[in-house]
Amino acid sequence: MADLTDWLFQKTVGRHIPLSVHIDLTMRCNERCIHCYRVIERRPELTTEELKALLEDVARAGTLYLTFSGGEVFLRKDLFELIEHARRLRFDVRLKSNALLITPEKAARLRALAVRQVDISIYSADPAVHDWVTKVPGSLERSLEGAALLRDAGVTVKLNCPLMKQNVGQYKEIRALAERLGVLWGFDPMITAKNDGDTSPFKLRITRKELRQVLQDPALNPHHGKSAPAESGPGYVRPDLDDIPCGASHNACYISAYGDVMPCVAMPIACGNVRDEPFAEIWHRSPEMLRVRSIRIRDLHTCSTCAASPFCTRCPGQALVETGDLHGPSPANCEHALVAAQVAGSSVIPASMLRS
C-alpha cells in the first residue's frame, strides 16, 4: 500500500493533478477555540449550488481525496446534500468536526454514505481544560458522545489534538482515552497562524523543553531512534535538491468558504476565486499558484544545506507567515527539527544549536 501511495503521489505531482482538495464549507462554528485559524469575513459563503459546481470542477481536474472542514461543517444545513453529491462524483470523503451536533441518525447516514473518516478535535481528557479551550461548557462530554455514536455506526473516527501550553502535559491521557473508545488518535505540536496571517495563536506554542519531552515518546515521533545520514555534517548538501518542498500547489490545494483558492490551508496566498474564474483556470494558470509550484528544495536558502534536514518537516506556509519569505526557513520548524535531532542523539548537529 505504501508503494502504491508513493506512486500515486509522484504521478499526480508530475502531472499537476490536484489529488487532494480541502474545502472549508463554513467559517461559522459553535465553539470558540483559542487557537483556531478561522477568520469570519463579511462575504457570503459559497452556496449549495456553487459548491456542487465546484465539486464537479475539481472532479474533472482529477481530485480523489476530499476533505470538508470549517468552522463546524454540521452547521451547514446542506451538508448531507453536499456529501451525497461528492459521493456520486466518487470522491473519498473525510470530515473534520467537533461532533457536538452528531446524532444517531446523522452517524448512520454518514455510514450509509461511506464517509471514510471523521476527525474530531479533542484538547484534553479533562473537561475543565478541554472546555476552557473551546469556551463551551460541556463540550468534551458532547464531543465524546458524538465520537461514540460515529464509532457505533461503523464510521472510522480519529481524535486529533493540537498540542499547546495548556494541554501538552495531558497527551498520554488523550491517547488512553482514544484507545478506550477504540478510535484513532493524532497529535500536532505546531500551532499555525490564522487564515489572514494573524500570528497571535503562536503564543500558545509549546516550549522547546516540552517539545523534547513529547518527541522522546516513540509513539509520537517518527524520527525516534533514527540517526542522521553519515554524510551529513559541515558542508552537507541535501541529495534531494530537485524535489518539491511539499505537495501544496502540486497535487493539493485549499479552497476557503468564500471561494478563494490557495496552495494550502497553511499558506495564505490567494491565487484566485472560483466565483470569478473556473477552478481549473486557477489551478493551471494562476501566476501565484505557478510561482509556488516552481519552487524546489535547491531554492530554499539555508534549508538546502541544513544538517538537520533529515529530521525536518518544513512547511512553506509557516515560513511565509513567520518570516515573509517563502524560500527561507520556518523558525518553528527549525526548532522542531533540531529538537528531533537531539532526541535521536544526532552527532552531526552543532551542540550550540541544540541548547535550550
Side-chain angles (χ1 to χ4, degrees):
M1 181 62 74
D3 290 343
L4 177 59
T5 301
D6 184 64
W7 176 86
L8 186 60
F9 180 86
Q10 296 300 333
K11 282 290 185 181
T12 52
V13 165
R15 297 180 181 180
H16 302 144
I17 296 172
L19 178 68
S20 176
V21 173
H22 172 154
I23 301 177
D24 276 345
L25 297 181
T26 180
M27 288 292 96
R28 293 172 290 126
C29 193
N30 47 6
E31 292 183 334
R32 302 182 299 280
C33 299
I34 59 174
H35 64 289
C36 187
Y37 68 77
R38 70 189 180 97
V39 175
I40 296 178
E41 301 182 32
R42 292 184 177 180
R43 290 191 284 168
E45 295 177 342
L46 295 175
T47 66
T48 304
E49 294 310 312
E50 285 175 326
L51 281 164
K52 284 184 175 181
L54 173 61
L55 293 179
E56 291 165 7
D57 284 349
V58 298
R60 281 190 290 270
T63 299
L64 172 61
Y65 299 109
L66 184 68
T67 298
F68 283 153
S69 185
E72 173 47 50
V73 292
F74 282 93
L75 288 177
R76 291 271 320 204
K77 296 185 183 302
D78 57 358
L79 175 62
F80 284 103
E81 184 179 352
L82 294 171
I83 296 174
E84 287 173 353
H85 193 69
R87 293 295 293 131
R88 281 195 293 271
L89 293 169
R90 301 188 181 278
F91 287 113
D92 174 292
V93 179
R94 175 181 176 187
L95 304 181
K96 294 189 176 185
S97 171
N98 57 38
L100 294 185
L101 299 176
I102 295 293
T103 63
E105 294 74 22
K106 289 176 182 176
R109 196 168 178 191
L110 291 178
R111 178 68 181 89
L113 288 169
V115 168
R116 177 168 61 88
Q117 182 171 302
V118 178
D119 291 7
I120 300 174
S121 300
I122 297 293
Y123 306 109
S124 174
D126 180 349
V129 175
H130 176 94
D131 296 357
W132 181 83
V133 171
T134 66
K135 305 304 178 188
V136 176
S139 56
L140 175 61
E141 181 180 3
R142 291 169 59 193
S143 289
L144 294 179
E145 287 174 355
L149 288 172
L150 290 165
R151 175 205 62 197
D152 292 346
V155 178
T156 298
V157 174
K158 183 178 181 181
L159 304 187
N160 278 334
C161 178
L163 294 177
M164 301 174 274
K165 292 177 180 178
Q166 291 79 1
N167 68 354
V168 65
Q170 302 175 0
Y171 77 86
K172 291 183 179 179
E173 287 79 6
I174 298 174
R175 184 171 63 193
L177 174 62
E179 291 171 349
R180 286 198 302 274
L181 283 171
V183 300
L184 305 173
W185 51 267
F187 298 92
D188 187 355
M190 183 64 72
I191 300 298
T192 62
K194 294 187 177 184
N195 282 49
D196 59 359
D198 178 359
T199 61
S200 60
F202 288 1
K203 66 181 181 293
L204 303 171
R205 287 176 171 175
I206 61 178
T207 65
R208 179 176 286 200
K209 181 180 178 181
E210 291 167 334
L211 178 62
R212 186 182 303 117
Q213 292 171 342
V214 169
L215 294 183
Q216 285 171 340
D217 187 336
L220 302 188
N221 180 14
H223 298 295
H224 191 276
K226 181 192 296 185
S227 297
E231 66 271 16
S232 60
Y236 171 73
V237 177
R238 291 176 59 161
D240 56 352
L241 295 180
D242 293 323
D243 289 353
I244 62 174
C246 72
S249 81
H250 294 277
N251 69 349
C253 72
Y254 164 71
I255 303 172
S256 79
Y258 308 106
D260 297 314
V261 180
M262 304 182 191
C264 172
V265 67
M267 191 183 296
I269 299 176
C271 300
N273 190 289
V274 295
R275 282 177 163 145
D276 301 325
E277 53 188 327
F279 170 79
E281 186 72 16
I282 299 170
W283 175 256
H284 288 293
R285 296 180 178 84
S286 161
E288 293 83 2
M289 191 73 74
L290 295 177
R291 177 169 66 92
V292 175
R293 191 173 295 161
S294 70
I295 299 172
R296 296 297 180 269
I297 289 176
R298 68 170 62 255
D299 302 318
L300 307 178
H301 58 81
T302 307
C303 301
S304 60
T305 57
C306 178
S309 61
F311 303 94
C312 187
T313 55
R314 175 190 178 275
C315 172
Q318 284 291 338
L320 177 65
V321 170
E322 291 172 352
T323 68
D325 184 0
L326 195 60
H327 294 78
S330 153
N333 288 136
C334 291
E335 182 171 62
H336 283 215
L338 293 171
V339 172
Q342 182 182 36
V343 169
S346 173
S347 61
V348 300
I349 310 300
S352 60
M353 296 177 68
L354 297 176
R355 295 194 188 104
S356 301

